[in-house]
Amino acid sequence: MQTTITARHCEVSDALRERAHTVVERLSGIATRPIESAVVFDTEGPVQTAELRLHVAHGEVLVARGEAADHRTALDRAEGKLRRQLEKASTRPRRTRTPPSPSL
């Protein structure tokens, strides 16, 4: 799975990049056929944000955003939100196609 880590309007340390990669790997173990992931760190005034995007099978994209005073805490909050989405998605029944009825 390809993971992209981006920093907007801020600098992100190598330790935080490794932490983000670890979080994504942990979440991809829960996801059903993960394809691609992205982590975006941003600074909006005094608020630090972290956004996690996980592309899974069937074109579904799960997005979670966490805000805090520092990027690490924001990443942890976003991880919790995305984890809840993944758990909910795993229990949701899947739509299946029904075969067409024979026409008369």
Side-chain angles (χ1 to χ4, degrees), residues 23-44:
V23 165
V24 167
E25 288 298 318
R26 196 168 35 228
L27 290 171
S28 67
I30 300 170
T32 305
R33 297 187 334 202
I35 299 167
E36 182 182 14
S37 64
V39 182
V40 179
F41 293 103
D42 197 358
T43 301
E44 298 173 0

Side-chain angles (χ1 to χ4, degrees), residues 31-78:
T32 305
R33 297 187 334 202
I35 299 167
E36 182 182 14
S37 64
V39 182
V40 179
F41 293 103
D42 197 358
T43 301
E44 298 173 0
V47 178
Q48 311 292 320
T49 62
E51 182 177 278
L52 292 170
R53 288 187 218 123
L54 187 62
H55 297 249
V56 293
H58 305 293
E60 190 176 3
V61 180
L62 302 173
V63 180
R65 182 178 174 158
E67 296 179 349
D70 62 291
H71 281 122
R72 185 178 172 111
T73 306
L75 180 63
D76 291 341
R77 289 180 181 170

Side-chain angles (χ1 to χ4, degrees), residues 13-30:
S13 67
D14 290 335
L16 187 58
R17 286 181 188 272
E18 286 298 319
R19 170 84 175 146
H21 195 275
T22 303
V23 165
V24 167
E25 288 298 318
R26 196 168 35 228
L27 290 171
S28 67
I30 300 170

